[in-house]
Amino acid sequence: VCQYNPEVSIGFKLMYNQIPPQFLEERKLENYLKDNGISLIHLVREAKILVLASKRDVKKRKKQYGGNLHHITNATLNKEIRENGYKINWDDALIDSMLEMEALSIQWQATVHLMAPLVRYYYISYESLLAKDERDFWVGQLVGFLTEKGHDSSISNAEGTLLQLSES
């Protein structure tokens, strides 16, 4: 949740598989977003191999260390996992899975892009947020998009408070 001088911006994460197909086919989602003045930030992990590697790593960490290890906050454990690493077993199944993910991503980009004339839309990739300078630039761009101040905003111009609603 981000509170910005008297305006309030609230965001949430919605995964592709959480949207019933009929909401897209009948344009219900698009109409809902448009009618309620909801802006859409399409955050995409473009490197599909990293998605697969992350899923694989979580499974291995759960098996080896137990518990929910999607996001590790223990610095010692994180260092141990990084140093030991896990090799990706390239096979036809992995490649097929990666290609399916890429096709789904392209389909969703097209679906969301078609909403753009009626719904305020901003595309950004996770990868563009990795380096601090890049992250600051793109967060500034998002602030400009959300506050309608334009894309020349910077993160230092962002006012308000961010509240973490969950552990992940």
Side-chain angles (χ1 to χ4, degrees):
V1 177
C2 175
Q3 188 171 7
Y4 180 80
N5 285 352
E7 302 172 24
V8 174
S9 300
I10 299 174
F12 57 91
K13 181 178 179 179
L14 182 63
M15 307 293 284
Y16 298 151
N17 63 357
Q18 295 172 324
I19 303 172
Q22 66 270 22
F23 282 27
L24 297 171
E25 294 159 5
E26 299 167 11
R27 301 186 84 123
K28 288 180 181 178
L29 178 62
E30 179 180 347
N31 289 327
Y32 179 82
L33 296 173
K34 177 187 64 128
D35 293 347
N36 291 283
I38 298 172
S39 300
L40 181 64
I41 298 172
H42 192 187
L43 183 59
V44 177
R45 181 175 257 175
E46 292 177 340
K48 303 307 178 222
I49 192 64
L50 295 178
V51 174
L52 293 173
S54 179
K55 287 179 180 179
R56 185 218 49 227
D57 289 351
V58 167
K59 280 184 183 177
K60 288 190 177 199
R61 287 192 304 258
K62 277 184 179 181
K63 185 176 181 180
Q64 187 171 356
Y65 301 101
N68 181 4
L69 295 175
H70 280 279
H71 302 281
I72 298 171
T73 56
N74 178 320
T76 305
L77 178 58
N78 198 8
K79 183 179 181 215
E80 179 186 332
I81 289 170
R82 243 190 354 261
E83 287 174 355
N84 294 335
Y86 301 114
K87 300 265 188 239
I88 293 179
N89 181 23
W90 286 95
D91 59 15
D92 288 342
L94 178 77
I95 293 169
D96 288 345
S97 180
M98 192 170 59
L99 292 173
E100 286 172 19
M101 290 173 68
E102 185 62 33
L104 179 64
S105 181
I106 290 168
Q107 177 187 355
W108 271 100
Q109 286 177 44
T111 299
V112 173
H113 186 71
L114 289 174
M115 294 181 194
L118 301 175
V119 176
R120 292 187 70 236
Y121 165 73
Y122 198 94
Y123 176 96
I124 190 165
S125 71
Y126 279 105
E127 290 81 2
S128 65
L129 302 174
L130 295 176
K132 184 180 180 345
D133 291 344
E134 287 285 308
R135 182 173 51 249
D136 289 352
F137 170 79
W138 286 111
V139 170
Q141 295 292 296
L142 289 170
V143 167
F145 170 75
L146 290 172
T147 61
E148 299 183 10
K149 288 190 172 191
H151 296 294
D152 61 345
S153 296
S154 73
I155 191 170
S156 60
N157 295 336
E159 298 177 26
T161 305
L162 294 175
L163 304 172
Q164 183 175 342
L165 297 178
S166 69
E167 292 297 317
S168 59

